[in-house]
């Protein structure tokens, strides 16, 4: 049995005071970490503040990192820097970074390798655009992303990796993929991992769905066999909603 994992992706939201209010409100309410992994991925400036106050059942993640250890990379943050302040997870290859910050599959692959070296758990995002889905190219696009992004990773690493399937057309649009479409594509991701590595690795890896997940659709999504959790943007910003979303994953 794979343990469910619910991760909030705060994107570029929340000041320090707002982040503090959130964590103080959720800490006591989150279900046990034995049953579900609860993660908040915040922007860099509040990471340390959240790590210091994370309760027993919450872990903190970043939304990006550089693949170098250090160097002349103005504005960047390394995996080692994240690890040194107690961060546990890092989102890699979010579609907003791929589209707006020119993040290539090659860079994503280097970041994944470095994240494992730094003992961070990566949440790798993959997904197709509306045009690609309508053109019947979803599997081709995601298959290629996985092949390039997961190159040179070991089976042991891939077993602990989290993959978030996020159709770009469903992110922040209010349009959720139907649970069938989401499950089918997560199933395809699992099959592809089996092909690239082996069946045991594919059975172990946790696959989230992301894209307009909210309290009203989480139950149905979580009931699908290939969906092990969710990566949640907008709906993770409110403390009560985040707690409801995590609790839904335990049922
Ligand atoms: P959304 O974002 O839940 O606001 O659609 C999801 C994401 O981008 O990770």
């Amino acid at each position: 049995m794979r343990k469910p994992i619910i991760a909030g992706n705060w994107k570029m939201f929340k000041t320090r005071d707002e982040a503090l209010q959130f964590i103080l409100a959720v800490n006591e309410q989150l279900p046990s970490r034995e049953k579900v992994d609860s993660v908040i991925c915040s922007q860099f400036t509040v990471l340390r503040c959240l790590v210091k106050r994370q309760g027993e059942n919450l872990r903190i993640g970043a939304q990006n990192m550089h693949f170098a250890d250090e160097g002349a990379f103005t504005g960047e943050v390394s995996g080692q820097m994240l690890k040194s302040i107690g961060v546990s997870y890092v989102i890699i290859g979010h579609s907003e970074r791929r589209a707006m910050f020119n993040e290539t599959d090659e860079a994503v692959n280097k970041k994944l390798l470095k994240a494992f070296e730094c003992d961070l758990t990566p949440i790798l995002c993959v997904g197709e655009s509306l045009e690609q889905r309508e053109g019947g190219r979803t599997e081709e696009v995601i298959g290629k992303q996985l092949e390039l992004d997961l190159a040179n990773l070991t089976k042991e690493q891939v077993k602990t990796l989290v993959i978030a399937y996020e159709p770009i057309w469903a992110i922040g649009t209010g349009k959720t993929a139907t649970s069938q479409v989401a499950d089918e594509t997560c199933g395809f991701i699992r099959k592809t991992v089996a092909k690239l590595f082996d069946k045991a690795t594919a059975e172990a890896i946790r696959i989230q769905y992301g894209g307009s997940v909210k309290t009203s659709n989480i139950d149905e999504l979580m009931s699908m066999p290939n969906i092990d959790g969710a990566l949640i943007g907008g709906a993770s910003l409110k403390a009560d909603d985040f707690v409801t979303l995590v609790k839904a994953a335990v049922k």
Side-chain angles (χ1 to χ4, degrees), residues 143-238:
K144 194 78 201 159
Q145 283 178 332
L146 290 171
E147 190 188 321
L148 298 172
D149 297 351
L150 302 181
N152 302 316
L153 265 67
T154 66
K155 285 179 200 168
E156 292 318 306
Q157 288 173 331
V158 176
K159 278 182 190 165
T160 66
L161 173 72
V162 179
I163 296 184
Y165 165 53
E166 297 206 312
I168 297 167
W169 45 273
I171 296 178
T173 57
K175 261 196 216 170
T176 326
T178 62
S179 46
Q180 279 78 12
V181 165
D183 188 64
E184 231 171 69
T185 314
C186 290
F188 168 75
I189 292 172
R190 206 177 294 289
K191 253 192 266 160
T192 306
V193 171
K195 223 165 42 186
L196 293 171
F197 296 88
D198 61 19
K199 196 143 184 279
T201 307
E203 285 302 316
I205 195 168
R206 292 184 293 175
I207 304 177
Q208 298 175 313
Y209 167 76
S212 299
V213 175
K214 38 191 180 267
T215 52
S216 57
N217 58 23
I218 185 82
D219 287 331
E220 196 184 329
L221 288 163
M222 287 306 299
S223 71
M224 305 310 283
N226 278 303
I227 300 178
D228 306 312
L231 181 59
I232 304 158
S236 74
L237 292 167
K238 280 205 203 126

